[in-house]
Every structure is written in C-alpha cells, then in structure tokens.
Amino acid sequence: MLMVCAGNIPLMTLLSVYFMIYYTTVVGLDPKALATLFLISKVMDGISDPVMGFIWIDFP
C-alpha cells in the first residue's frame, strides 16, 4: 500500500504545479485566489475520502 502512495504523490505534485502555472499565466487568475481554491479542494477531498470509504465498507 505504501508503494502506491509513493508513486501518486510526485504525480499529483507535478499536476498541481502545472495547473498553478497555467491558471496564473494563461488564464490570468490571482495566485492568492488560486491557492485558496486548491486549499478548498484539498480540504473537501480530505473530508469526502473517509466518508466514501465508510459508505463503501459499511453499506452493502
């Protein structure tokens, strides 16, 4: 299980950096607003993953 996460973390980091550069230079979003958007998405992901795991395991 640990090796799966070890491969996922660098990939997600590269994607986050790419999207940060793309949204600030091409789309023209403010970096502060984009950082807030990324923070909200990570918090929502951190909340929804355990909830969906609970639903997946406990309900038939």
Side-chain angles (χ1 to χ4, degrees):
M1 182 69 175
L2 181 62
M3 293 310 291
V4 173
C5 292
N8 190 19
I9 292 171
L11 177 64
M12 293 309 294
T13 302
L14 285 174
L15 284 174
S16 294
V17 169
Y18 173 77
F19 284 132
M20 182 71 83
I21 293 169
Y22 175 77
Y23 283 130
T24 55
T25 58
V26 176
V27 178
L29 289 176
D30 182 39
K32 293 178 192 173
L34 190 59
T36 304
L37 180 66
F38 279 11
L39 177 66
I40 291 170
S41 70
K42 294 292 183 182
V43 168
M44 291 301 296
D45 187 45
I47 293 170
S48 68
D49 282 352
V51 170
M52 291 309 292
F54 173 76
I55 291 172
W56 181 261
I57 291 172
D58 289 345
F59 293 107

Short mmCIF file of all heavy atoms in Angstrom, two decimals:
data_model
loop_
_atom_site.label_atom_id
_atom_site.label_comp_id
_atom_site.label_asym_id
_atom_site.label_seq_id
_atom_site.Cartn_x
_atom_site.Cartn_y
_atom_site.Cartn_z
N MET A 1 0.82 -1.19 0.00
CA MET A 1 0.00 0.00 0.00
C MET A 1 0.87 1.26 0.00
O MET A 1 0.54 2.24 -0.62
CB MET A 1 -0.93 -0.05 1.22
CG MET A 1 -1.87 1.11 1.30
SD MET A 1 -3.08 0.99 0.01
CE MET A 1 -4.11 2.35 0.41
N LEU A 2 1.97 1.23 0.71
CA LEU A 2 2.84 2.39 0.79
C LEU A 2 3.44 2.73 -0.57
O LEU A 2 3.59 3.90 -0.91
CB LEU A 2 3.94 2.15 1.82
CG LEU A 2 4.92 3.29 2.03
CD1 LEU A 2 4.19 4.52 2.55
CD2 LEU A 2 6.01 2.89 2.98
N MET A 3 3.76 1.73 -1.36
CA MET A 3 4.39 1.99 -2.66
C MET A 3 3.40 2.65 -3.63
O MET A 3 3.81 3.40 -4.50
CB MET A 3 4.94 0.69 -3.25
CG MET A 3 6.10 0.12 -2.45
SD MET A 3 7.41 1.31 -2.10
CE MET A 3 8.08 1.55 -3.71
N VAL A 4 2.13 2.38 -3.48
CA VAL A 4 1.13 3.02 -4.33
C VAL A 4 1.11 4.52 -4.04
O VAL A 4 1.09 5.34 -4.95
CB VAL A 4 -0.26 2.40 -4.10
CG1 VAL A 4 -1.33 3.18 -4.84
CG2 VAL A 4 -0.27 0.95 -4.53
N CYS A 5 1.14 4.89 -2.78
CA CYS A 5 1.16 6.30 -2.40
C CYS A 5 2.45 6.98 -2.82
O CYS A 5 2.46 8.15 -3.17
CB CYS A 5 0.94 6.45 -0.90
SG CYS A 5 -0.69 5.97 -0.37
N ALA A 6 3.55 6.25 -2.78
CA ALA A 6 4.84 6.82 -3.14
C ALA A 6 4.87 7.23 -4.61
O ALA A 6 5.53 8.19 -4.98
CB ALA A 6 5.96 5.83 -2.84
N GLY A 7 4.14 6.53 -5.46
CA GLY A 7 4.07 6.90 -6.87
C GLY A 7 3.05 7.97 -7.15
O GLY A 7 3.16 8.72 -8.13
N ASN A 8 2.04 8.09 -6.31
CA ASN A 8 0.97 9.04 -6.53
C ASN A 8 1.36 10.46 -6.11
O ASN A 8 0.96 11.43 -6.75
CB ASN A 8 -0.28 8.59 -5.78
CG ASN A 8 -1.49 9.38 -6.14
OD1 ASN A 8 -1.55 10.04 -7.17
ND2 ASN A 8 -2.48 9.34 -5.29
N ILE A 9 2.14 10.59 -5.06
CA ILE A 9 2.46 11.91 -4.52
C ILE A 9 3.26 12.76 -5.52
O ILE A 9 2.91 13.92 -5.75
CB ILE A 9 3.17 11.78 -3.16
CG1 ILE A 9 2.19 11.24 -2.14
CG2 ILE A 9 3.76 13.11 -2.71
CD1 ILE A 9 2.80 10.86 -0.82
N PRO A 10 4.33 12.24 -6.15
CA PRO A 10 5.05 13.08 -7.13
C PRO A 10 4.19 13.45 -8.33
O PRO A 10 4.29 14.57 -8.84
CB PRO A 10 6.24 12.21 -7.56
CG PRO A 10 6.41 11.22 -6.49
CD PRO A 10 5.06 10.99 -5.90
N LEU A 11 3.34 12.55 -8.77
CA LEU A 11 2.48 12.85 -9.91
C LEU A 11 1.50 13.97 -9.57
O LEU A 11 1.32 14.92 -10.35
CB LEU A 11 1.71 11.60 -10.33
CG LEU A 11 0.72 11.78 -11.47
CD1 LEU A 11 1.45 12.17 -12.74
CD2 LEU A 11 -0.09 10.53 -11.67
N MET A 12 0.88 13.92 -8.41
CA MET A 12 -0.07 14.96 -8.01
C MET A 12 0.65 16.29 -7.79
O MET A 12 0.09 17.35 -8.07
CB MET A 12 -0.83 14.53 -6.76
CG MET A 12 -1.75 13.35 -7.00
SD MET A 12 -2.86 13.55 -8.41
CE MET A 12 -3.88 14.88 -7.86
N THR A 13 1.89 16.23 -7.31
CA THR A 13 2.66 17.46 -7.14
C THR A 13 2.96 18.11 -8.49
O THR A 13 2.81 19.33 -8.65
CB THR A 13 3.97 17.17 -6.38
OG1 THR A 13 3.65 16.57 -5.13
CG2 THR A 13 4.77 18.43 -6.17
N LEU A 14 3.36 17.30 -9.46
CA LEU A 14 3.62 17.84 -10.80
C LEU A 14 2.37 18.43 -11.42
O LEU A 14 2.41 19.50 -12.04
CB LEU A 14 4.18 16.74 -11.70
CG LEU A 14 5.63 16.35 -11.46
CD1 LEU A 14 5.99 15.15 -12.32
CD2 LEU A 14 6.54 17.51 -11.76
N LEU A 15 1.24 17.76 -11.26
CA LEU A 15 -0.02 18.29 -11.80
C LEU A 15 -0.42 19.59 -11.11
O LEU A 15 -0.88 20.53 -11.77
CB LEU A 15 -1.13 17.25 -11.66
CG LEU A 15 -1.09 16.11 -12.65
CD1 LEU A 15 -2.15 15.07 -12.31
CD2 LEU A 15 -1.28 16.61 -14.06
N SER A 16 -0.25 19.66 -9.82
CA SER A 16 -0.59 20.89 -9.09
C SER A 16 0.28 22.05 -9.54
O SER A 16 -0.22 23.17 -9.74
CB SER A 16 -0.45 20.67 -7.59
OG SER A 16 -1.39 19.75 -7.12
N VAL A 17 1.57 21.81 -9.71
CA VAL A 17 2.47 22.86 -10.17
C VAL A 17 2.10 23.30 -11.59
O VAL A 17 2.05 24.50 -11.89
CB VAL A 17 3.94 22.40 -10.10
CG1 VAL A 17 4.87 23.36 -10.83
CG2 VAL A 17 4.36 22.23 -8.66
N TYR A 18 1.81 22.34 -12.45
CA TYR A 18 1.42 22.68 -13.83
C TYR A 18 0.15 23.52 -13.85
O TYR A 18 0.08 24.54 -14.54
CB TYR A 18 1.22 21.41 -14.66
CG TYR A 18 0.64 21.70 -16.02
CD1 TYR A 18 1.45 22.20 -17.03
CD2 TYR A 18 -0.69 21.48 -16.30
CE1 TYR A 18 0.94 22.48 -18.28
CE2 TYR A 18 -1.22 21.76 -17.54
CZ TYR A 18 -0.40 22.26 -18.53
OH TYR A 18 -0.93 22.54 -19.76
N PHE A 19 -0.87 23.09 -13.09
CA PHE A 19 -2.12 23.85 -13.06
C PHE A 19 -1.93 25.23 -12.45
O PHE A 19 -2.56 26.20 -12.89
CB PHE A 19 -3.21 23.08 -12.33
CG PHE A 19 -3.80 21.97 -13.13
CD1 PHE A 19 -3.96 20.71 -12.58
CD2 PHE A 19 -4.19 22.17 -14.44
CE1 PHE A 19 -4.50 19.68 -13.32
CE2 PHE A 19 -4.73 21.15 -15.19
CZ PHE A 19 -4.89 19.89 -14.63
N MET A 20 -1.07 25.35 -11.45
CA MET A 20 -0.80 26.65 -10.84
C MET A 20 -0.19 27.60 -11.87
O MET A 20 -0.61 28.75 -12.00
CB MET A 20 0.13 26.50 -9.64
CG MET A 20 0.43 27.79 -8.92
SD MET A 20 -0.93 28.47 -8.00
CE MET A 20 -0.81 27.53 -6.50
N ILE A 21 0.79 27.12 -12.61
CA ILE A 21 1.43 27.95 -13.64
C ILE A 21 0.44 28.28 -14.75
O ILE A 21 0.35 29.43 -15.21
CB ILE A 21 2.69 27.26 -14.19
CG1 ILE A 21 3.75 27.18 -13.11
CG2 ILE A 21 3.23 27.99 -15.41
CD1 ILE A 21 4.93 26.30 -13.46
N TYR A 22 -0.33 27.30 -15.19
CA TYR A 22 -1.30 27.51 -16.28
C TYR A 22 -2.36 28.53 -15.88
O TYR A 22 -2.65 29.46 -16.65
CB TYR A 22 -1.94 26.18 -16.66
CG TYR A 22 -3.03 26.32 -17.69
CD1 TYR A 22 -2.71 26.52 -19.04
CD2 TYR A 22 -4.37 26.29 -17.33
CE1 TYR A 22 -3.70 26.66 -19.99
CE2 TYR A 22 -5.36 26.44 -18.28
CZ TYR A 22 -5.04 26.62 -19.60
OH TYR A 22 -6.02 26.76 -20.54
N TYR A 23 -2.95 28.36 -14.72
CA TYR A 23 -4.03 29.25 -14.31
C TYR A 23 -3.55 30.66 -14.02
O TYR A 23 -4.31 31.62 -14.20
CB TYR A 23 -4.78 28.69 -13.10
CG TYR A 23 -5.73 27.56 -13.44
CD1 TYR A 23 -5.71 26.37 -12.73
CD2 TYR A 23 -6.65 27.69 -14.46
CE1 TYR A 23 -6.58 25.34 -13.04
CE2 TYR A 23 -7.52 26.67 -14.79
CZ TYR A 23 -7.48 25.50 -14.06
OH TYR A 23 -8.33 24.49 -14.37
N THR A 24 -2.32 30.83 -13.59
CA THR A 24 -1.84 32.18 -13.30
C THR A 24 -1.34 32.89 -14.56
O THR A 24 -1.54 34.09 -14.70
CB THR A 24 -0.73 32.17 -12.25
OG1 THR A 24 0.31 31.30 -12.66
CG2 THR A 24 -1.28 31.77 -10.91
N THR A 25 -0.70 32.17 -15.48
CA THR A 25 -0.13 32.84 -16.66
C THR A 25 -1.10 32.88 -17.83
O THR A 25 -1.24 33.91 -18.48
CB THR A 25 1.18 32.17 -17.09
OG1 THR A 25 0.94 30.80 -17.38
CG2 THR A 25 2.24 32.30 -16.02
N VAL A 26 -1.75 31.77 -18.15
CA VAL A 26 -2.62 31.71 -19.32
C VAL A 26 -4.01 32.26 -19.01
O VAL A 26 -4.53 33.11 -19.73
CB VAL A 26 -2.70 30.26 -19.86
CG1 VAL A 26 -3.67 30.17 -21.02
CG2 VAL A 26 -1.32 29.77 -20.28
N VAL A 27 -4.63 31.76 -17.94
CA VAL A 27 -5.99 32.17 -17.61
C VAL A 27 -5.99 33.54 -16.94
O VAL A 27 -6.92 34.32 -17.11
CB VAL A 27 -6.67 31.10 -16.74
CG1 VAL A 27 -8.07 31.51 -16.34
CG2 VAL A 27 -6.72 29.77 -17.48
N GLY A 28 -4.97 33.84 -16.16
CA GLY A 28 -4.85 35.15 -15.53
C GLY A 28 -5.47 35.25 -14.15
O GLY A 28 -5.80 36.35 -13.71
N LEU A 29 -5.61 34.14 -13.45
CA LEU A 29 -6.15 34.19 -12.10
C LEU A 29 -5.11 34.71 -11.12
O LEU A 29 -3.91 34.56 -11.32
CB LEU A 29 -6.60 32.79 -11.65
CG LEU A 29 -7.85 32.23 -12.31
CD1 LEU A 29 -8.10 30.81 -11.82
CD2 LEU A 29 -9.05 33.09 -12.00
N ASP A 30 -5.60 35.33 -10.06
CA ASP A 30 -4.74 35.81 -8.99
C ASP A 30 -4.17 34.60 -8.23
O ASP A 30 -4.90 33.67 -7.91
CB ASP A 30 -5.56 36.68 -8.04
CG ASP A 30 -4.74 37.26 -6.93
OD1 ASP A 30 -3.59 37.65 -7.19
OD2 ASP A 30 -5.26 37.33 -5.79
N PRO A 31 -2.87 34.57 -7.95
CA PRO A 31 -2.28 33.43 -7.24
C PRO A 31 -2.89 33.18 -5.87
O PRO A 31 -3.02 32.04 -5.44
CB PRO A 31 -0.81 33.81 -7.11
CG PRO A 31 -0.55 34.74 -8.23
CD PRO A 31 -1.84 35.50 -8.42
N LYS A 32 -3.30 34.25 -5.17
CA LYS A 32 -3.94 34.06 -3.87
C LYS A 32 -5.28 33.35 -4.00
O LYS A 32 -5.60 32.46 -3.21
CB LYS A 32 -4.15 35.40 -3.18
CG LYS A 32 -2.89 36.09 -2.76
CD LYS A 32 -3.21 37.44 -2.14
CE LYS A 32 -1.96 38.26 -1.98
NZ LYS A 32 -2.28 39.62 -1.53
N ALA A 33 -6.05 33.74 -5.00
CA ALA A 33 -7.35 33.10 -5.23
C ALA A 33 -7.16 31.64 -5.64
O ALA A 33 -7.92 30.76 -5.21
CB ALA A 33 -8.14 33.85 -6.30
N LEU A 34 -6.16 31.39 -6.45
CA LEU A 34 -5.91 30.02 -6.90
C LEU A 34 -5.42 29.15 -5.75
O LEU A 34 -5.83 27.99 -5.63
CB LEU A 34 -4.88 30.03 -8.02
CG LEU A 34 -4.67 28.72 -8.75
CD1 LEU A 34 -5.97 28.24 -9.37
CD2 LEU A 34 -3.62 28.87 -9.81
N ALA A 35 -4.58 29.69 -4.88
CA ALA A 35 -4.12 28.93 -3.71
C ALA A 35 -5.30 28.61 -2.79
O ALA A 35 -5.38 27.51 -2.24
CB ALA A 35 -3.06 29.71 -2.97
N THR A 36 -6.21 29.56 -2.64
CA THR A 36 -7.42 29.31 -1.84
C THR A 36 -8.27 28.23 -2.46
O THR A 36 -8.79 27.35 -1.76
CB THR A 36 -8.23 30.61 -1.69
OG1 THR A 36 -7.39 31.62 -1.13
CG2 THR A 36 -9.43 30.40 -0.80
N LEU A 37 -8.41 28.25 -3.78
CA LEU A 37 -9.17 27.22 -4.48
C LEU A 37 -8.54 25.85 -4.30
O LEU A 37 -9.24 24.86 -4.03
CB LEU A 37 -9.26 27.57 -5.96
CG LEU A 37 -10.01 26.61 -6.86
CD1 LEU A 37 -11.49 26.59 -6.49
CD2 LEU A 37 -9.83 26.98 -8.31
N PHE A 38 -7.21 25.77 -4.41
CA PHE A 38 -6.52 24.50 -4.19
C PHE A 38 -6.69 24.02 -2.76
O PHE A 38 -6.88 22.82 -2.51
CB PHE A 38 -5.04 24.62 -4.52
CG PHE A 38 -4.71 24.51 -5.99
CD1 PHE A 38 -5.70 24.54 -6.95
CD2 PHE A 38 -3.41 24.39 -6.40
CE1 PHE A 38 -5.39 24.45 -8.29
CE2 PHE A 38 -3.08 24.28 -7.74
CZ PHE A 38 -4.09 24.32 -8.69
N LEU A 39 -6.63 24.94 -1.80
CA LEU A 39 -6.80 24.58 -0.39
C LEU A 39 -8.20 24.03 -0.14
O LEU A 39 -8.35 23.00 0.52
CB LEU A 39 -6.54 25.79 0.50
CG LEU A 39 -6.76 25.58 1.99
CD1 LEU A 39 -5.74 24.59 2.54
CD2 LEU A 39 -6.71 26.89 2.74
N ILE A 40 -9.20 24.68 -0.68
CA ILE A 40 -10.58 24.21 -0.50
C ILE A 40 -10.76 22.83 -1.13
O ILE A 40 -11.40 21.95 -0.53
CB ILE A 40 -11.57 25.22 -1.10
CG1 ILE A 40 -11.58 26.50 -0.27
CG2 ILE A 40 -12.98 24.64 -1.20
CD1 ILE A 40 -12.34 27.65 -0.89
N SER A 41 -10.18 22.60 -2.29
CA SER A 41 -10.32 21.30 -2.94
C SER A 41 -9.63 20.20 -2.14
O SER A 41 -10.15 19.08 -2.03
CB SER A 41 -9.79 21.34 -4.37
OG SER A 41 -8.38 21.45 -4.38
N LYS A 42 -8.47 20.51 -1.54
CA LYS A 42 -7.77 19.50 -0.72
C LYS A 42 -8.54 19.20 0.56
O LYS A 42 -8.61 18.05 1.00
CB LYS A 42 -6.35 19.98 -0.38
CG LYS A 42 -5.45 20.11 -1.56
CD LYS A 42 -5.12 18.78 -2.15
CE LYS A 42 -4.14 18.97 -3.31
NZ LYS A 42 -3.82 17.72 -3.96
N VAL A 43 -9.13 20.22 1.18
CA VAL A 43 -9.91 20.00 2.39
C VAL A 43 -11.16 19.17 2.07
O VAL A 43 -11.49 18.23 2.80
CB VAL A 43 -10.29 21.35 3.05
CG1 VAL A 43 -11.33 21.17 4.13
CG2 VAL A 43 -9.05 22.02 3.61
N MET A 44 -11.82 19.49 0.97
CA MET A 44 -13.01 18.72 0.59
C MET A 44 -12.63 17.27 0.27
O MET A 44 -13.37 16.34 0.59
CB MET A 44 -13.70 19.36 -0.62
CG MET A 44 -14.35 20.68 -0.30
SD MET A 44 -15.61 20.57 0.98
CE MET A 44 -16.80 19.53 0.20
N ASP A 45 -11.49 17.07 -0.36
CA ASP A 45 -11.02 15.72 -0.65
C ASP A 45 -10.71 14.97 0.64
O ASP A 45 -11.02 13.79 0.77
CB ASP A 45 -9.78 15.78 -1.53
CG ASP A 45 -9.33 14.41 -1.99
OD1 ASP A 45 -10.19 13.61 -2.41
OD2 ASP A 45 -8.11 14.14 -1.93
N GLY A 46 -10.12 15.66 1.61
CA GLY A 46 -9.81 15.04 2.89
C GLY A 46 -11.05 14.67 3.68
O GLY A 46 -11.03 13.75 4.50
N ILE A 47 -12.14 15.38 3.46
CA ILE A 47 -13.40 15.07 4.14
C ILE A 47 -14.16 13.97 3.39
O ILE A 47 -14.68 13.04 4.00
CB ILE A 47 -14.27 16.34 4.27
CG1 ILE A 47 -13.61 17.32 5.23
CG2 ILE A 47 -15.68 16.00 4.73
CD1 ILE A 47 -14.26 18.69 5.25
N SER A 48 -14.20 14.07 2.08
CA SER A 48 -15.02 13.13 1.32
C SER A 48 -14.41 11.73 1.23
O SER A 48 -15.16 10.75 1.15
CB SER A 48 -15.28 13.67 -0.09
OG SER A 48 -14.08 13.68 -0.84
N ASP A 49 -13.09 11.61 1.24
CA ASP A 49 -12.47 10.28 1.14
C ASP A 49 -12.84 9.36 2.30
O ASP A 49 -13.26 8.22 2.06
CB ASP A 49 -10.96 10.40 1.00
CG ASP A 49 -10.53 10.78 -0.39
OD1 ASP A 49 -11.38 10.80 -1.30
OD2 ASP A 49 -9.33 11.06 -0.58
N PRO A 50 -12.72 9.79 3.56
CA PRO A 50 -13.13 8.90 4.65
C PRO A 50 -14.63 8.61 4.65
O PRO A 50 -15.06 7.50 4.97
CB PRO A 50 -12.74 9.65 5.92
CG PRO A 50 -11.72 10.62 5.51
CD PRO A 50 -12.02 10.97 4.10
N VAL A 51 -15.43 9.61 4.26
CA VAL A 51 -16.89 9.39 4.22
C VAL A 51 -17.22 8.34 3.17
O VAL A 51 -18.01 7.42 3.43
CB VAL A 51 -17.62 10.72 3.94
CG1 VAL A 51 -19.09 10.48 3.64
CG2 VAL A 51 -17.46 11.67 5.10
N MET A 52 -16.64 8.45 1.99
CA MET A 52 -16.92 7.46 0.94
C MET A 52 -16.35 6.09 1.32
O MET A 52 -16.95 5.06 0.99
CB MET A 52 -16.34 7.92 -0.40
CG MET A 52 -17.06 9.13 -0.97
SD MET A 52 -18.85 8.95 -1.04
CE MET A 52 -19.02 7.71 -2.27
N GLY A 53 -15.22 6.05 2.02
CA GLY A 53 -14.69 4.77 2.50
C GLY A 53 -15.62 4.13 3.50
O GLY A 53 -15.85 2.92 3.47
N PHE A 54 -16.19 4.94 4.38
CA PHE A 54 -17.15 4.43 5.35
C PHE A 54 -18.39 3.89 4.63
O PHE A 54 -18.88 2.80 4.94
CB PHE A 54 -17.55 5.54 6.32
CG PHE A 54 -18.66 5.16 7.25
CD1 PHE A 54 -18.41 4.33 8.33
CD2 PHE A 54 -19.95 5.62 7.03
CE1 PHE A 54 -19.44 3.97 9.20
CE2 PHE A 54 -20.98 5.27 7.88
CZ PHE A 54 -20.72 4.43 8.96
N ILE A 55 -18.89 4.62 3.66
CA ILE A 55 -20.07 4.18 2.91
C ILE A 55 -19.76 2.90 2.16
O ILE A 55 -20.57 1.97 2.13
CB ILE A 55 -20.56 5.30 1.96
CG1 ILE A 55 -21.13 6.45 2.78
CG2 ILE A 55 -21.57 4.77 0.96
CD1 ILE A 55 -21.46 7.68 1.96
N TRP A 56 -18.60 2.83 1.55
CA TRP A 56 -18.22 1.67 0.73
C TRP A 56 -18.11 0.40 1.61
O TRP A 56 -18.52 -0.68 1.20
CB TRP A 56 -16.90 1.94 0.02
CG TRP A 56 -16.44 0.82 -0.84
CD1 TRP A 56 -15.52 -0.13 -0.55
CD2 TRP A 56 -16.92 0.50 -2.15
NE1 TRP A 56 -15.37 -0.99 -1.58
CE2 TRP A 56 -16.22 -0.63 -2.59
CE3 TRP A 56 -17.84 1.09 -3.00
CZ2 TRP A 56 -16.43 -1.19 -3.84
CZ3 TRP A 56 -18.05 0.54 -4.24
CH2 TRP A 56 -17.35 -0.60 -4.65
N ILE A 57 -17.55 0.53 2.81
CA ILE A 57 -17.33 -0.63 3.66
C ILE A 57 -18.59 -1.04 4.41
O ILE A 57 -18.91 -2.23 4.51
CB ILE A 57 -16.18 -0.35 4.66
CG1 ILE A 57 -14.86 -0.27 3.91
CG2 ILE A 57 -16.10 -1.41 5.73
CD1 ILE A 57 -13.69 0.19 4.76
N ASP A 58 -19.32 -0.09 4.94
CA ASP A 58 -20.43 -0.41 5.85
C ASP A 58 -21.76 -0.66 5.18
O ASP A 58 -22.66 -1.24 5.79
CB ASP A 58 -20.59 0.70 6.90
CG ASP A 58 -19.44 0.68 7.89
OD1 ASP A 58 -18.73 -0.32 7.93
OD2 ASP A 58 -19.27 1.67 8.61
N PHE A 59 -21.97 -0.23 3.96
CA PHE A 59 -23.24 -0.45 3.30
C PHE A 59 -23.07 -1.46 2.17
O PHE A 59 -22.10 -1.42 1.44
CB PHE A 59 -23.79 0.86 2.75
CG PHE A 59 -24.18 1.83 3.82
CD1 PHE A 59 -23.41 2.96 4.07
CD2 PHE A 59 -25.29 1.61 4.61
CE1 PHE A 59 -23.75 3.86 5.05
CE2 PHE A 59 -25.65 2.49 5.60
CZ PHE A 59 -24.88 3.63 5.82
N PRO A 60 -24.05 -2.37 2.05
CA PRO A 60 -23.92 -3.41 1.01
C PRO A 60 -24.08 -2.93 -0.39
O PRO A 60 -24.55 -2.07 -0.86
CB PRO A 60 -25.01 -4.40 1.35
CG PRO A 60 -25.92 -3.73 2.30
CD PRO A 60 -25.20 -2.55 2.87
#
